[in-house]
Coordinates of all heavy atoms in Angstrom, one line a residue:
E1 N -148.0 -58.4 41.9 CA -149.3 -59.0 41.6 C -150.0 -58.3 40.4 O -150.6 -59.0 39.6 CB -150.1 -58.8 42.9 CG -149.7 -59.7 44.0 CD -149.7 -61.2 43.6 OE1 -150.7 -61.7 43.0 OE2 -148.8 -61.9 43.9
K2 N -149.8 -57.1 40.3 CA -150.3 -56.4 39.1 C -149.7 -56.9 37.8 O -150.4 -57.2 36.8 CB -150.1 -54.9 39.2 CG -150.7 -54.1 38.0 CD -150.5 -52.6 38.2 CE -151.0 -51.8 37.0 NZ -150.7 -50.4 37.1
A3 N -148.4 -57.1 37.8 CA -147.7 -57.6 36.6 C -148.1 -59.0 36.3 O -148.2 -59.4 35.2 CB -146.2 -57.5 36.8
R4 N -148.4 -59.8 37.4 CA -148.7 -61.2 37.2 C -150.0 -61.4 36.5 O -150.3 -62.4 35.8 CB -148.7 -61.9 38.6 CG -148.7 -63.4 38.5 CD -148.5 -64.0 39.9 NE -149.7 -63.8 40.8 CZ -150.7 -64.6 40.8 NH1 -150.7 -65.7 40.0 NH2 -151.7 -64.4 41.6
R5 N -150.9 -60.4 36.6 CA -152.2 -60.5 36.0 C -152.1 -60.5 34.4 O -152.9 -61.2 33.7 CB -153.1 -59.4 36.4 CG -153.5 -59.4 37.9 CD -154.6 -58.4 38.1 NE -154.7 -58.1 39.6 CZ -154.3 -57.0 40.2 NH1 -153.7 -56.0 39.4 NH2 -154.4 -56.8 41.5
D6 N -151.1 -59.8 33.9 CA -150.9 -59.7 32.5 C -149.8 -60.7 32.0 O -149.5 -60.7 30.8 CB -150.6 -58.3 32.1 CG -151.7 -57.3 32.5 OD1 -152.8 -57.7 32.4 OD2 -151.3 -56.2 32.9
W7 N -149.1 -61.4 32.9 CA -148.0 -62.2 32.5 C -148.1 -63.6 33.2 O -147.7 -63.7 34.3 CB -146.7 -61.5 32.9 CG -145.5 -62.1 32.2 CD1 -145.4 -63.1 31.3 CD2 -144.1 -61.7 32.5 NE1 -144.1 -63.3 30.9 CE2 -143.3 -62.5 31.7 CE3 -143.5 -60.8 33.3 CZ2 -141.9 -62.4 31.6 CZ3 -142.1 -60.7 33.3 CH2 -141.3 -61.4 32.5
A8 N -148.7 -64.5 32.5 CA -149.0 -65.8 33.1 C -147.7 -66.6 33.5 O -147.8 -67.4 34.5 CB -149.8 -66.7 32.1
E9 N -146.6 -66.3 32.9 CA -145.4 -67.0 33.2 C -144.7 -66.4 34.5 O -143.7 -67.0 34.9 CB -144.4 -66.9 32.1 CG -144.8 -67.7 30.8 CD -145.8 -67.0 30.0 OE1 -146.1 -65.8 30.3 OE2 -146.3 -67.6 29.0
L10 N -145.2 -65.4 35.0 CA -144.6 -64.8 36.2 C -145.1 -65.5 37.5 O -146.3 -65.6 37.7 CB -144.9 -63.3 36.3 CG -144.4 -62.5 37.5 CD1 -142.9 -62.6 37.5 CD2 -144.9 -61.0 37.4
R11 N -144.2 -65.9 38.3 CA -144.5 -66.6 39.6 C -143.9 -65.7 40.7 O -142.7 -65.4 40.6 CB -143.9 -68.0 39.6 CG -144.1 -68.8 40.9 CD -143.5 -70.1 40.8 NE -143.8 -70.9 42.0 CZ -143.3 -72.2 42.1 NH1 -142.6 -72.8 41.2 NH2 -143.6 -72.9 43.2
V12 N -144.7 -65.4 41.7 CA -144.3 -64.6 42.8 C -144.2 -65.4 44.1 O -145.2 -66.1 44.5 CB -145.2 -63.4 43.0 CG1 -144.7 -62.5 44.2 CG2 -145.3 -62.5 41.7
I13 N -143.0 -65.4 44.7 CA -142.8 -66.0 46.0 C -142.4 -64.9 47.0 O -141.5 -64.1 46.7 CB -141.7 -67.1 45.9 CG1 -142.1 -68.2 45.0 CG2 -141.4 -67.6 47.3 CD1 -141.0 -69.2 44.7
R14 N -143.1 -64.9 48.1 CA -142.9 -63.8 49.1 C -142.4 -64.4 50.4 O -143.0 -65.4 50.9 CB -144.2 -63.1 49.3 CG -144.0 -61.8 50.2 CD -145.3 -61.0 50.3 NE -145.9 -60.8 48.9 CZ -147.1 -60.9 48.6 NH1 -148.0 -61.3 49.5 NH2 -147.6 -60.7 47.4
L15 N -141.3 -63.9 50.9 CA -140.7 -64.4 52.1 C -141.3 -63.6 53.3 O -141.7 -62.4 53.1 CB -139.2 -64.2 52.2 CG -138.4 -64.9 51.0 CD1 -136.9 -64.8 51.3 CD2 -138.8 -66.3 50.9
R16 N -141.4 -64.2 54.4 CA -142.1 -63.6 55.6 C -141.3 -62.4 56.1 O -141.8 -61.5 56.7 CB -142.3 -64.6 56.7 CG -143.4 -65.7 56.3 CD -143.8 -66.5 57.5 NE -144.8 -67.5 57.2 CZ -146.1 -67.2 57.1 NH1 -146.5 -66.0 57.4 NH2 -146.9 -68.1 56.8
A17 N -140.0 -62.5 56.0 CA -139.1 -61.4 56.5 C -137.9 -61.3 55.6 O -137.6 -62.3 54.8 CB -138.7 -61.6 57.9
N18 N -137.2 -60.2 55.6 CA -136.0 -60.0 54.8 C -134.9 -61.1 55.3 O -134.5 -61.0 56.4 CB -135.5 -58.6 55.0 CG -134.2 -58.4 54.2 OD1 -133.1 -58.2 54.8 ND2 -134.3 -58.4 52.9
A19 N -134.5 -61.9 54.4 CA -133.6 -63.0 54.7 C -132.2 -62.7 54.1 O -131.3 -63.5 54.4 CB -134.1 -64.3 54.3
G20 N -132.1 -61.8 53.2 CA -130.9 -61.5 52.5 C -130.8 -62.0 51.1 O -131.6 -62.9 50.7
H21 N -130.0 -61.4 50.3 CA -129.9 -61.6 48.8 C -129.6 -63.1 48.5 O -130.3 -63.7 47.7 CB -128.8 -60.7 48.2 CG -128.7 -60.9 46.7 ND1 -127.7 -61.6 46.2 CD2 -129.4 -60.3 45.7 CE1 -127.8 -61.5 44.8 NE2 -128.8 -60.7 44.5
Q22 N -128.6 -63.7 49.2 CA -128.3 -65.1 48.9 C -129.4 -66.1 49.3 O -129.6 -67.0 48.6 CB -127.0 -65.4 49.6 CG -125.8 -64.6 49.2 CD -125.4 -64.8 47.7 OE1 -125.2 -65.9 47.2 NE2 -125.4 -63.7 47.0
A23 N -130.1 -65.8 50.4 CA -131.2 -66.6 50.9 C -132.3 -66.5 49.9 O -133.0 -67.5 49.6 CB -131.6 -66.2 52.3
A24 N -132.6 -65.3 49.4 CA -133.7 -65.2 48.4 C -133.4 -65.9 47.1 O -134.2 -66.6 46.5 CB -133.9 -63.7 48.1
L25 N -132.1 -65.9 46.7 CA -131.7 -66.6 45.5 C -131.9 -68.1 45.8 O -132.4 -68.9 44.9 CB -130.2 -66.4 45.2 CG -129.9 -65.1 44.3 CD1 -128.4 -64.9 44.2 CD2 -130.6 -65.2 43.0
S26 N -131.5 -68.6 47.0 CA -131.7 -70.0 47.3 C -133.1 -70.4 47.3 O -133.5 -71.5 46.8 CB -131.0 -70.3 48.7 OG -129.7 -70.0 48.7
A27 N -134.0 -69.6 47.8 CA -135.4 -69.9 47.8 C -135.9 -70.0 46.4 O -136.7 -70.9 46.1 CB -136.2 -68.8 48.5
G28 N -135.5 -69.1 45.5 CA -135.9 -69.2 44.1 C -135.4 -70.5 43.4 O -136.1 -71.1 42.6
L29 N -134.1 -70.9 43.7 CA -133.6 -72.1 43.1 C -134.3 -73.3 43.6 O -134.5 -74.3 42.8 CB -132.1 -72.2 43.4 CG -131.1 -71.1 42.8 CD1 -129.7 -71.4 43.3 CD2 -131.2 -71.2 41.3
M30 N -134.8 -73.3 44.8 CA -135.5 -74.5 45.3 C -136.8 -74.6 44.6 O -137.3 -75.8 44.5 CB -135.7 -74.3 46.8 CG -134.5 -74.5 47.7 SD -133.9 -76.2 47.6 CE -135.2 -77.1 48.4
R31 N -137.4 -73.6 44.1 CA -138.8 -73.6 43.5 C -138.7 -73.6 42.0 O -139.7 -73.9 41.3 CB -139.6 -72.5 44.0 CG -139.8 -72.5 45.6 CD -141.2 -72.8 45.9 NE -141.3 -73.2 47.4 CZ -142.4 -73.2 48.0 NH1 -143.5 -72.9 47.4 NH2 -142.4 -73.5 49.3
A32 N -137.6 -73.2 41.4 CA -137.5 -73.2 39.9 C -137.6 -74.6 39.4 O -137.0 -75.5 39.9 CB -136.2 -72.5 39.5

């Protein structure tokens, strides 16, 4: 969140619980 204040192109998505590396990648691909 601190980095996002100075970098408008940064988008942060937070998962409710640890889902694993591949699931996190999938979440990012769905929103990219």
Side-chain angles (χ1 to χ4, degrees):
E1 287 302 314
K2 180 181 178 181
R4 195 170 71 86
R5 296 192 196 105
D6 301 323
W7 195 5
E9 291 81 5
L10 179 60
R11 178 180 184 180
V12 178
I13 297 173
R14 191 174 307 137
L15 304 186
R16 291 190 178 277
N18 179 251
H21 183 261
Q22 297 299 304
L25 276 175
S26 298
L29 292 179
M30 286 296 295
R31 301 251 167 163

